[in-house]
Amino acid sequence: ELGITTPKGYDVSFHYNPEMERHHFGQTHPMKPWRLTLTKGLVTAYGMHYTMKNYTARAATYDELTSFHTSDYVDFLATVAPQPTPLDLDGTNSDLKFNLGGSDCPLFEGLYNYCSLSGGASLDAARKLCTKQSDIAIAWGGGLHHAKRSEASGFCYVNDIVIAILQLLRVHKRVLYIDIDVHHGDGVEEAFFSTDRVMTVSFHKYDPMNFFPGTGALEDNGPKSEHNPGAHHAINVPLNDGITDEQYKWLFENVISRCVEKFKPEAIVLQCGADSLAGDRLGKFNLLVQGHGSCVEYCKGLGLPMIIVGGGGYTPKNVARAWAYETAIATNNQSNVAATAEIPLHTPYRKNFEYDSVLLPSIEQILGDARQNRNTQKRLQEIIQHVTEQLRFVSA
Ligand code: V1S
Ligand code: CA
Ligand code: ZN
């Protein structure tokens, strides 16, 4: 299989359930669970499945879902009847129960099953870390970072990440959560606002009036009230459109190295939302698969147990490229995959890959012309300065 070798050193597990792709948010909705099938197809075509343990993810149980969510909310998710998506174009439908049934979080057929499968995959991944059966556990069906304890938000109903971190905390003293989705990881941040055992770091586009969800300013580092141990443990890296691989990699490594040094995590959860890639339907960054993947590479190099989850990503072929490449990084197959950069001919759905079917398209191939970069080096320096100041309050 294209010179794919069995890597030594790391035990990697892959948690996936093909049932997830059978769920549809609706014709015009950007979230396409089918991107998971495309990813799995690419991973398999490169032969990477031989170099990791493959598990069919199970559905999370009611008790597992209520480890974070309220039973009122989970009961409603479990019993509510599917509804056709209403035309709620301005998003002002405020009479929704638990924020369900609007155009962002429609009540589609099989919703509870979809949520349980996403939660189950991330939870299985967490358990493999807890028992030390995996060093890196991958669950591309997870990463749904906006869901709140008792509310759906931004295409997310069940917060698989929070549920997985709660599991990790049974065994690991401190968990570092890193979020490279183009949106702010608000649900995870809020869930751990009052503990110093979880540090959350989100990189995102920030434009409070015009870009969802509008939170995640540089200065928001967790409530500082009443001796809150969680104060200073929320790190936010707000960015503008057009950021490039070079800047992002530089910023990521600068910020994460400082967080690791001060916080000394025992495990990492990395949310790899692929809507931060160039050419995404919702995101407007200039990141290539290489730049996005360099974050996975850097985290792997820290040598800590790690869960990798998915998240956003609205141009399915680019999502599959990135997540397959990142699976290759985790399994040490990166150079093999890059050397056979042409997507294998026997890839199922190969016709879906444009740009001459390369795995690592250039910015010109994706966009024609790169978007204007609205991030100055001066601003990036300010961000690092502020993060460094916050981290003075943090110790292991
Ligand atoms: N940006 C954006 C966007 N686009 C949509 C959307 C478009 C077409 C549809 F048929 C349905 C929804 N919604 C939004 C955002 C939510 C983004 C969620 C990102 C999720 C993640 O990638 O971080 C993790 C999986 N919602 C809004 O901007 C809210 C509205 C304010 C405007 C759009 N309308 C459709 C809903 C209300
Ligand atoms: Ca983010
Ligand atoms: Zn997103």
Side-chain angles (χ1 to χ4, degrees):
E1 291 275 342
L2 300 159
I4 296 282
T5 56
T6 304
K8 292 182 189 67
Y10 286 103
D11 285 319
V12 181
S13 57
F14 192 84
H15 304 265
Y16 167 74
N17 191 320
E19 253 194 74
M20 270 190 90
E21 76 149 320
R22 296 197 295 113
H23 299 85
H24 302 279
F25 282 64
Q27 276 280 303
T28 56
H29 199 287
M31 179 57 98
K32 306 288 179 200
W34 180 74
R35 67 209 176 116
L36 298 169
T37 315
L38 209 52
T39 303
K40 169 70 178 174
L42 205 44
V43 164
T44 309
Y46 277 100
M48 287 181 232
H49 54 304
Y50 295 120
T51 67
M52 54 192 181
K53 287 222 165 95
N54 299 278
Y55 297 95
T56 302
R58 69 196 168 82
T61 64
Y62 179 88
D63 285 346
E64 289 167 343
L65 297 177
T66 52
S67 67
F68 173 54
H69 295 286
T70 62
S71 42
D72 273 8
Y73 177 57
V74 178
D75 287 341
F76 190 77
L77 274 180
T79 55
V80 67
Q83 275 168 29
T85 307
L87 282 171
D88 167 31
L89 294 172
D90 61 355
T92 51
N93 194 345
S94 56
D95 57 337
L96 298 171
K97 207 169 171 191
F98 305 113
N99 196 32
L100 291 164
S103 46
D104 270 2
C105 301
L107 290 166
F108 57 84
E109 181 90 47
L111 173 61
Y112 188 75
N113 191 237
Y114 169 84
C115 295
S116 318
L117 288 171
S118 165
S122 302
L123 199 43
D124 280 354
R127 295 227 167 95
K128 289 291 167 201
L129 254 61
C130 288
T131 59
K132 299 199 174 4
Q133 287 172 280
S134 301
D135 302 309
I136 302 179
I138 303 173
W140 294 125
L144 305 180
H145 58 179
H146 298 306
K148 310 287 157 38
R149 196 165 109 89
S150 207
E151 196 183 290
S153 172
F155 320 162
C156 305
Y157 305 80
V158 158
N159 201 315
D160 61 285
I161 304 167
V162 172
I163 294 172
I165 293 176
L166 289 172
Q167 190 72 33
L168 289 179
L169 288 173
R170 295 181 182 198
V171 171
H172 304 86
K173 282 203 201 83
R174 287 174 303 280
V175 175
L176 176 63
Y177 172 68
I178 306 169
D179 185 317
I180 62 170
D181 190 288
V182 77
H183 298 99
H184 178 223
D186 57 350
V188 185
E189 180 184 273
E190 185 184 297
F192 298 110
F193 252 165
S194 56
T195 177
D196 55 5
R197 292 183 61 202
V198 179
M199 174 178 277
T200 62
V201 187
S202 176
F203 298 77
H204 46 266
K205 173 182 160 81
Y206 181 67
D207 182 0
M209 291 307 171
N210 303 303
F211 197 70
F212 187 87
T215 49
L218 181 61
E219 298 76 19
D220 294 342
N221 302 107
K224 290 186 183 71
S225 56
E226 301 157 44
H227 309 288
N228 172 20
H232 314 290
H233 284 69
I235 302 292
N236 283 303
V237 181
L239 302 167
N240 295 320
D241 287 346
I243 193 164
T244 61
D245 275 7
E246 194 192 8
Q247 279 184 327
Y248 199 92
K249 182 175 192 292
W250 181 81
L251 194 59
F252 185 88
E253 294 180 6
N254 247 295
V255 168
I256 300 302
S257 62
R258 284 161 213 261
C259 292
V260 169
E261 195 180 315
K262 293 303 293 284
F263 182 63
K264 297 191 173 38
E266 293 188 351
I268 293 179
V269 176
L270 178 58
Q271 195 266 20
C272 290
D275 47 7
S276 42
L277 292 172
D280 189 77
R281 182 172 154 191
L282 301 190
K284 292 181 170 63
F285 286 173
N286 277 327
L287 296 188
L288 299 178
V289 171
Q290 292 93 317
H292 200 267
S294 73
C295 302
V296 179
E297 224 174 316
Y298 182 79
C299 290
K300 184 188 175 204
L302 295 169
L304 293 163
M306 173 160 69
I307 296 179
I308 300 177
V309 293
Y314 305 103
T315 305
K317 57 184 184 288
N318 292 345
V319 177
R321 282 186 171 96
W323 291 352
Y325 185 65
E326 288 162 6
T327 305
I329 292 170
T331 55
N332 275 349
N333 284 307
Q334 189 185 359
S335 49
N336 299 321
V337 163
T340 52
E342 187 84 3
I343 288 175
L345 273 170
H346 61 284
T347 303
Y349 324 108
R350 190 179 192 267
K351 62 171 173 12
N352 291 287
F353 295 94
E354 299 162 10
Y355 329 124
D356 298 327
S357 285
V358 293
L359 184 70
L360 305 171
S362 67
I363 206 88
E364 290 76 23
Q365 284 174 306
I366 301 166
L367 289 173
D369 251 324
R371 286 183 184 279
Q372 186 168 1
N373 181 5
R374 305 205 177 272
N375 299 273
T376 61
Q377 201 59 27
K378 178 164 167 285
R379 177 61 180 161
L380 302 190
Q381 293 284 3
E382 278 169 23
I383 291 173
I384 290 175
Q385 168 100 31
H386 178 88
V387 169
T388 307
E389 280 162 20
Q390 282 310 305
L391 290 172
R392 293 213 178 101
F393 299 97
V394 171
S395 62

